[in-house]
């Protein structure tokens, strides 16, 4: 293998390690003396491109509030003598490039300001408005701008449009119950939708309280805004609520069962797909109570995976729900 090939292979392995650590929420990686020696021995071209030592890795803003209940505060710090900090790879090119700022400046105020800018941009979204199939009112996100868990629904309904907040109607109440079972106040997570406007039925004139799921073109037009939100919030895990949200987020089709049983990522962040809260409500309204229990059990299995992902403590009682 030629020298440049060896460098490319080494670089790619390093990037893989950094990505994996980022997904796991690590702030630093430990370099053995041998790895450090090998990096030092790399030719000058590589060293020039290599990240500067001493900066924090990308996974979490240095000034972010530590919320013990999400497990963030419980992360074991790597002792400085055992680790070398490695800077992040840069953000993927996107429609709303998030300004590159030093990690320590990515605090809560910064995140709020960025989200506000995305909100303003979404109000004008020519691609969304140009479709003519969405109502005018923007329903943006709610919650913690530095949340470890982001919940993504499909699009606002009538209740959300009235309140201009996501998940405030019956599905939102169901989502609140799920969050409560996880021991999470709503303010601790970030809740958003793929599409930020309520979809129209026909021309919307006779729609009343009816809602419809967003279509593929509506989700495609909205995705850059969601991507920007995720880049700002940088959660450790994303939960896609329902098949439609999963299709919009992951840009591929599939059944809910297939989505649930596979591993997914969005911008390097793990995505767990689960049933939409409306599905739970529909199951509860059916005559057969065992179907509702079964649906709840599946959602709870998914939420346990989410909790494990972010290091949220799971009590024996929570582990045994629905058993
Ligand atoms: N369903 C969704 O997918 N999103 C909402 O905000 C409300 C209901």
């Amino acid at each position: 293998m030629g020298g440049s090939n060896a460098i490319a292979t080494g670089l790619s392995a390093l990037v893989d390690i950094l990505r994996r650590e980022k997904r796991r929420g690590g702030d630093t990686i430990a370099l053995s003396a041998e790895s450090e020696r090998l990096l030092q021995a790399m030719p000058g071209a590589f060293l020039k491109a290599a990240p500067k030592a001493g900066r924090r890795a990308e996974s979490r803003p240095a000034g972010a509030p530590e919320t013990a209940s999400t497990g963030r505060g419980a992360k074991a710090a790597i002792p400085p003598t055992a680790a070398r900090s490695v800077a992040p790879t840069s953000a993927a090119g996107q429609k709303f490039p998030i300004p590159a700022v030093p990690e320590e400046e990515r605090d809560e105020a910064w995140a709020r300001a960025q989200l506000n800018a995305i909100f303003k941009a979404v109000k004008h979204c020519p691609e969304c408005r140009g479709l003519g199939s969405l109502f005018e009112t923007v329903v943006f996100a709610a919650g913690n701008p530095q949340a470890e868990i982001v919940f993504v629904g499909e699009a606002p309904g009538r209740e959300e449009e009235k309140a201009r907040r996501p998940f405030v109607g019956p599905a939102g109440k169901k989502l609140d119950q799920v969050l409560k079972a996880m021991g999470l106040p709503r303010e601790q997570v970030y809740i958003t939708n793929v599409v930020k406007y309520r979809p129209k039925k026909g021309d919307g004139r006779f729609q009343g309280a009816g809602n419809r799921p967003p279509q593929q073109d509506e989700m495609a037009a909205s995705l850059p805004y969601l991507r920007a939100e995720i880049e700002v919030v940088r959660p450790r895990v994303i939960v896609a609520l329902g098949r439609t949200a999963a299709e919009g987020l992951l840009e591929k089709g599939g059944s809910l069962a297939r989505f649930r049983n596979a591993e997914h990522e969005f911008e390097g962040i793990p995505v767990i797909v689960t049933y939409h809260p409306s599905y739970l409500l529909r199951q509860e309204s059916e005559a057969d109570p065992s179907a509702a229990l079964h649906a709840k059990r599946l959602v709870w299995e998914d939420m346990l995976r989410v909790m494990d992902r972010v290091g949220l403590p799971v009590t024996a009682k929570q582990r045994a729900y629905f058993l």
Side-chain angles (χ1 to χ4, degrees):
M1 194 189 295
S4 60
N5 270 353
I7 292 168
T9 308
L11 250 184
S12 145
L14 183 59
V15 167
D16 281 347
I17 292 168
L18 288 170
R19 286 214 175 109
R20 201 171 56 235
E21 280 308 304
K22 180 181 165 187
R23 267 183 255 128
R24 288 161 53 180
D27 283 334
T28 55
I29 61 163
L31 283 186
S32 66
E34 172 67 356
S35 311
E36 193 176 0
R37 192 189 61 69
L38 287 171
L39 281 173
Q40 296 287 1
M42 289 266 188
F46 168 60
L47 283 179
K48 264 188 230 132
K52 282 193 203 114
R55 285 191 50 200
R56 287 170 66 84
E58 190 179 20
S59 65
R60 184 54 55 190
E66 304 265 302
T67 49
S69 56
T70 58
R72 198 181 286 172
K75 253 191 280 171
I78 301 169
T81 48
R84 305 283 181 276
S85 293
V86 178
T89 49
S90 61
Q94 52 178 253
K95 193 173 170 124
F96 300 102
I98 304 306
V101 290
E103 284 302 305
E104 54 277 15
E105 285 175 28
R106 288 187 65 124
D107 57 10
E108 194 177 333
W110 175 88
R112 275 191 200 289
Q114 297 310 314
L115 291 173
N116 211 20
I118 300 167
F119 170 53
K120 285 192 180 137
V122 124
K123 281 192 197 167
H124 301 291
C125 177
E127 300 87 345
C128 315
R129 295 204 177 277
L131 294 170
S133 58
L134 301 165
F135 284 106
E136 300 271 302
T137 307
V138 178
V139 180
F140 199 58
N144 180 349
Q146 294 186 308
E148 304 217 317
I149 309 174
V150 166
F151 288 85
V152 181
E154 50 190 47
R158 155 89 165 236
E159 298 294 320
E160 286 74 25
E161 188 184 46
K162 274 201 279 180
R164 298 182 184 219
R165 290 178 68 75
F167 282 99
V168 294
K173 305 273 177 299
K174 193 37 88 183
L175 179 60
D176 284 343
Q177 288 175 12
V178 174
L179 292 174
K180 191 165 175 214
M182 297 168 82
L184 290 173
R186 199 181 237 252
E187 304 70 47
Q188 201 165 316
V189 300
Y190 184 86
I191 301 174
T192 190
N193 281 303
V194 179
V195 174
K196 317 297 190 205
Y197 305 82
R198 178 179 172 217
K200 286 181 189 169
K201 284 180 160 183
D203 65 9
R205 274 186 302 161
F206 308 109
Q207 185 151 341
N211 297 316
R212 72 156 169 86
Q215 292 155 355
Q216 209 274 327
D217 57 347
E218 294 161 343
M219 296 198 285
S222 311
L223 196 59
Y225 302 89
L226 179 60
R227 187 169 280 124
E229 287 173 87
I230 298 291
E231 167 57 15
V232 170
V233 180
R234 286 185 177 170
R236 285 168 115 180
V237 62
I238 299 169
V239 182
L241 297 168
R243 180 178 61 84
T244 307
E247 286 183 341
L249 186 70
L250 302 170
E251 294 181 277
K252 61 182 175 198
S255 69
L256 199 281
R258 283 185 72 163
F259 277 128
R260 267 191 86 238
N261 291 323
E263 305 250 319
H264 310 281
E265 275 189 4
F266 182 75
E267 302 293 316
I269 297 167
V271 176
I272 290 180
V273 180
T274 194
Y275 290 92
H276 194 282
S278 303
Y279 176 76
L280 295 180
L281 290 173
R282 281 198 301 278
Q283 295 300 308
E284 282 171 10
S285 67
E286 296 287 317
D288 175 9
S290 67
L293 187 64
H294 179 66
K296 274 190 199 166
R297 188 174 284 140
L298 296 181
V299 170
W300 188 241
E301 265 173 36
D302 298 335
M303 294 309 106
L304 287 177
R305 284 166 57 216
V306 170
M307 291 168 80
D308 282 342
R309 272 271 174 197
V310 300
L312 255 180
V314 179
T315 64
K317 190 173 157 204
Q318 282 173 318
R319 205 50 85 195
Y321 275 166
F322 306 115
L323 287 182

